[in-house]
Amino acid sequence: MNKENTHQIKPELKNALAKVLLERIPTSASQPHLQDLINILLESLSRGEIYISLDESKPPTEVKAPGWPTEHLRAIKQSGWLEQSTSPIILENNRLGWYRWDYEMKGIIKDLIKKSNQRPKLAIIEVDKDAIKSTVKLNSEQLLALESITSHNLVLLSGGPGTGKTSTIVEMLRKSLSIDLELRIGLAAPTGKATRRLQESLQSSIEELNPQVKDKFYRIPCLTLHRWLKANERGFSKNETNQLDLDLLVIDEMSMVDISLMRGVLNALPKQSQLVLVGDPNQLPPVGSGAVWNELLKSQNQEILGSSRINLSKVYRNRGQIALLAKMIREDSFNVFWNQIQNLPLSSNVKSHSQKKNSMPSFLLEKLKAKQAEIQKILSNSLETLNTVNTYPATINNPEFDNTIKKLLKTLEELAVLCPRRFGLWSVEHVHQALLGNSLEEGVMHWPEGTPVICGENQQELGLSNGDIGVIFGSNNERRLIFRVITEKQTLEPKLIHPSRLRKVDPAYALTIHKSQGSEVNDVVLLWPDDSYICDQQIKQDKRNENYDKSLMYTALTRAKNKFDLILPEAQSN
């Protein structure tokens, strides 16, 4: 199951690449086995993974030649492809990868390890220890994170949902500002959705701070990494010669950061600046190439990073069966998870449903229609206020309008429908086709009022990022899209935008699991079109990328705060 079907590598490209390698470095080694390895490497790259393990006993989907992995390892060693100075492939510890990406990844890890050994600016400032002592009760892991802010120039904070990452970040920043109130701090995440959630989470957690620190906290800029780096068609305007004016940068949702973005950050961040990286290692790898976060957390790097790497394991938010199943995915085999799904108690906040895959579940469509009706009711009750302020694209400073937006956003955050695929059965497109019919292809001006929409590209001039969710309001020439944007004053404010201003906009009744990263909602419904869970079809299961499927399921499951519905295909009778 790929991220999205559009990312699947065409067989012609795989064959052409193998042919070029064979022409450049002729070999007598088994060509079918080498072709398998090329296919696996390319498919892995399409999932953001730059390495494949030749220790895995289960053959990946792309394997056609017999004898995995022994014969494949023998073929690549005999090929001569690893011995040439111009070879594009490397093999280390039975891990195969592309030389280019391996070179970039190793450079990033080397620079980050070097940064972890530097003393931070805060370490050389004399302070009153009582003044910076935390007034919040922290566990031993969180206390280690708090100590690290004055001892390491690189801090890695990992943990799953509900482990207190947000409260730990707040305390780390509070301590930093208590030492130096003029510290130049920046907050960042890979997507607009994750950035808004980070800012809202932090600002809702600072009520106990003293007024001076709280005021400074509210003014900390929170931007996407692309906005920090001033991304453009040629790359990043912020770089080695035009660096960020920051003493400390905190990056959340690190699992979504790829090699290109991480290199951009390291180039643009002054060498003496402190870097705090935060994330969940069990979520999906980035869409781009190279899962930097997962590479950093590998055992050999953990040993080198030492006390600069802190893992939060104690869960504070009780999510019932959601939390237990997430733990199973992390710590056990995927089969254990599937067995548990089939034997859930009636009282569980996780439920599985069987449905014929060629039809859309009626209860799901009813849920979505009910949500849209609720949105339409809010818009109808606020029609006079909305018409009064219908002056796009300026942000709106109107208490009644702001209250309407809060109601809309709360309604949107009550339900998320997720799909592993963008196209095909039980995909994002399938959901939208079932709800919008022919109007789906006609565009945003033809979709019903109250339809949730998603911005498909970064548009800094509008304050929008790829993945931002909005709602359609009005009709005909009065039609507008309502979004909430982060202003230059670091406040979240509503904005009315004419649909023609957006370069790409799609319906958002359903999202791919990738698009949902960085968000949390009360109720998640996941359409899971794969049927390998149904019985012990060992051969079929062996042909799948189980680790990737586990990441998909874990990411979808952990978006839910209170309830998770999993829709699975019915077993087909012979």
Side-chain angles (χ1 to χ4, degrees):
M1 189 175 297
N2 294 319
K3 276 181 198 177
E4 300 190 5
N5 288 7
T6 51
H7 287 185
Q8 201 164 20
I9 305 297
K10 293 182 178 180
E12 295 84 357
L13 176 59
K14 298 173 185 175
N15 295 337
L17 181 56
K19 183 179 179 180
V20 169
L21 284 172
L22 286 167
E23 288 175 352
R24 279 182 52 192
I25 312 174
T27 178
S28 59
S30 170
Q31 292 189 18
H33 290 88
L34 294 177
Q35 181 71 64
D36 276 353
L37 293 176
I38 294 295
N39 294 348
I40 300 167
L41 282 167
L42 283 174
E43 286 298 338
S44 295
L45 199 61
S46 76
R47 295 190 296 265
E49 301 163 356
I50 62 174
Y51 301 108
I52 62 171
S53 173
L54 297 182
D55 288 328
E56 297 288 338
S57 59
K58 292 183 178 181
T61 309
E62 298 78 21
V63 170
K64 301 293 186 293
W68 172 269
T70 306
E71 294 304 316
H72 293 79
L73 185 59
R74 190 195 314 276
I76 193 66
K77 286 182 176 179
Q78 292 177 349
S79 67
W81 291 5
L82 306 174
E83 300 164 6
Q84 304 292 326
S85 60
T86 57
S87 174
I89 298 175
I90 60 97
L91 176 67
E92 287 183 2
N93 301 318
N94 277 7
R95 194 168 72 156
L96 205 64
W98 298 107
Y99 174 81
R100 174 195 170 185
W101 300 117
D102 175 72
Y103 179 82
E104 292 284 348
M105 181 68 83
K106 284 177 177 173
I108 287 171
I109 301 300
K110 181 180 177 181
D111 288 350
L112 287 170
I113 289 172
K114 184 178 179 180
K115 182 174 278 293
S116 74
N117 293 324
Q118 296 172 339
R119 292 188 72 200
K121 177 183 177 182
L122 297 174
I124 60 176
I125 301 175
E126 292 187 12
V127 295
D128 180 353
K129 292 185 177 180
D130 290 331
I132 62 171
K133 188 177 180 181
S134 176
T135 57
V136 178
K137 187 176 180 180
L138 302 174
N139 64 36
S140 57
E141 296 164 344
Q142 291 172 310
L143 288 171
L144 285 174
L146 200 56
E147 290 174 12
S148 68
I149 203 71
T150 52
S151 56
H152 296 285
N153 225 25
L154 171 74
V155 179
L156 279 67
L157 184 66
S158 66
T163 54
K165 292 196 297 291
T166 298
S167 56
T168 305
I169 295 169
V170 168
E171 282 304 295
M172 292 168 77
L173 295 180
R174 180 204 58 78
K175 181 176 180 178
S176 301
L177 289 171
S178 298
I179 295 172
D180 182 0
L181 195 59
E182 300 306 313
L183 203 68
R184 299 166 300 174
I185 300 174
L187 301 173
T191 66
K193 185 182 300 181
T195 302
R196 283 154 183 72
R197 180 167 166 253
L198 172 63
Q199 186 180 49
E200 288 175 334
S201 298
L202 291 178
Q203 291 190 354
S204 66
S205 305
I206 61 175
E207 291 305 313
E208 303 303 318
L209 301 183
N210 73 57
Q212 264 190 321
V213 172
K214 185 190 292 188
D215 179 63
K216 179 75 175 183
F217 220 111
Y218 274 116
R219 290 187 281 114
I220 294 176
C222 187
L223 309 171
T224 64
L225 284 171
H226 287 88
R227 291 188 68 185
W228 274 114
L229 298 175
K230 297 190 182 301
N232 54 54
E233 293 179 356
R234 298 179 301 279
F236 302 124
S237 295
K238 287 293 182 179
N239 47 46
E240 298 98 326
T241 58
N242 180 29
Q243 293 190 309
L244 295 166
D245 191 21
L246 290 174
D247 298 311
L248 167 61
L249 177 63
V250 179
I251 304 177
D252 195 18
E253 298 291 347
M254 268 298 298
S255 63
M256 301 166 71
V257 177
D258 62 19
I259 283 176
S260 173
L261 210 47
M262 195 71 235
R263 173 46 63 195
V265 169
L266 291 174
N267 288 346
L269 195 67
K271 300 299 181 198
Q272 69 276 15
S273 296
Q274 194 169 22
L275 186 58
V276 176
L277 306 179
V278 185
D280 183 342
N282 296 291
Q283 287 189 186
L284 284 163
V287 174
S289 299
V292 174
W293 187 237
N294 287 350
E295 196 67 21
L296 268 173
L297 299 183
K298 288 192 178 299
S299 57
Q300 64 269 28
N301 291 324
Q302 286 188 47
E303 291 176 11
I304 298 170
L305 290 163
S307 58
S308 65
R309 191 259 169 162
I310 300 98
N311 180 56
L312 303 180
S313 58
K314 184 176 180 180
V315 178
Y316 288 93
R317 289 201 302 273
N318 181 10
R319 297 188 180 190
Q321 205 76 24
I322 292 171
L324 293 175
L325 288 168
K327 185 178 180 183
M328 280 184 189
I329 295 174
R330 287 197 310 268
E331 300 177 1
D332 301 316
S333 74
F334 213 14
N335 286 335
V336 173
F337 167 83
W338 286 123
N339 289 336
Q340 185 64 28
I341 282 290
Q342 306 302 319
N343 299 285
L344 292 168
L346 292 176
S347 59
S348 173
N349 60 345
V350 177
K351 297 189 184 304
S352 65
H353 311 263
S354 295
Q355 175 77 30
K356 291 182 179 178
K357 197 161 58 173
N358 59 356
S359 62
M360 191 59 58
S362 57
F363 90 92
L364 173 59
L365 296 179
E366 288 167 8
K367 269 177 173 281
L368 288 168
K369 288 174 182 177
K371 184 174 82 166
Q372 182 161 8
E374 190 175 350
I375 291 171
Q376 289 171 339
K377 184 178 179 181
I378 293 169
L379 291 169
S380 177
N381 291 343
S382 309
L383 190 60
E384 185 177 340
T385 300
L386 288 166
N387 284 333
T388 302
V389 298
N390 196 357
T391 54
Y392 82 92
T395 51
I396 311 302
N397 185 14
N398 180 301
E400 289 184 40
F401 182 74
D402 194 48
N403 189 46
T404 297
I405 298 303
K406 286 178 180 177
K407 287 181 181 178
L408 284 172
L409 292 176
K410 184 179 179 183
T411 303
L412 284 173
E413 291 171 359
E414 287 173 355
L415 172 67
V417 177
L418 304 182
C419 310
R421 300 171 177 167
R422 188 175 174 187
F423 302 108
L425 291 174
W426 284 9
S427 65
V428 170
E429 184 189 49
H430 192 182
V431 174
H432 291 155
Q433 189 70 54
L435 287 162
L436 296 173
N438 293 334
S439 67
L440 174 62
E441 301 300 326
E442 295 174 1
V444 64
M445 296 301 290
H446 299 273
W447 301 336
E449 184 178 45
T451 298
V453 293
I454 184 168
C455 175
E457 289 187 18
N458 294 322
Q459 289 193 242
Q460 294 186 23
E461 73 278 11
L462 297 177
L464 292 177
S465 298
N466 185 357
D468 284 350
I469 302 292
V471 175
I472 294 175
F473 160 64
S475 58
N476 301 323
N477 293 333
E478 300 302 317
R479 171 148 290 194
R480 299 291 182 266
L481 305 179
I482 302 174
F483 286 93
R484 217 172 186 200
V485 303
I486 299 177
T487 68
E488 291 182 359
K489 296 179 180 179
Q490 296 308 300
T491 57
L492 282 166
E493 294 183 12
K495 191 178 213 179
L496 291 171
I497 302 174
H498 193 282
S500 64
R501 299 292 302 279
L502 268 70
R503 292 191 290 267
K504 181 174 175 54
V505 61
D506 294 303
Y509 291 110
L511 301 173
T512 60
I513 298 172
H514 268 86
K515 287 285 188 183
S516 74
Q517 284 187 271
S519 65
E520 282 186 323
V521 295
N522 291 325
D523 182 0
V524 168
V525 180
L526 173 62
L527 288 157
W528 190 262
D530 176 58
D531 59 3
S532 63
Y533 72 92
I534 290 173
C535 59
D536 294 329
Q537 303 174 48
Q538 192 63 40
I539 294 176
K540 185 173 183 180
Q541 184 65 30
D542 282 354
K543 288 288 185 179
R544 302 185 50 75
N545 188 323
E546 183 177 312
N547 288 334
Y548 190 72
D549 279 2
K550 283 175 68 174
S551 295
L552 278 170
M553 183 63 74
Y554 176 85
T555 303
L557 180 64
T558 53
R559 299 313 92 202
K561 291 181 182 178
N562 301 318
K563 188 180 178 187
F564 183 80
D565 286 280
L566 177 60
I567 303 175
L568 301 166
E570 287 182 351
Q572 302 297 310
S573 58
N574 294 326

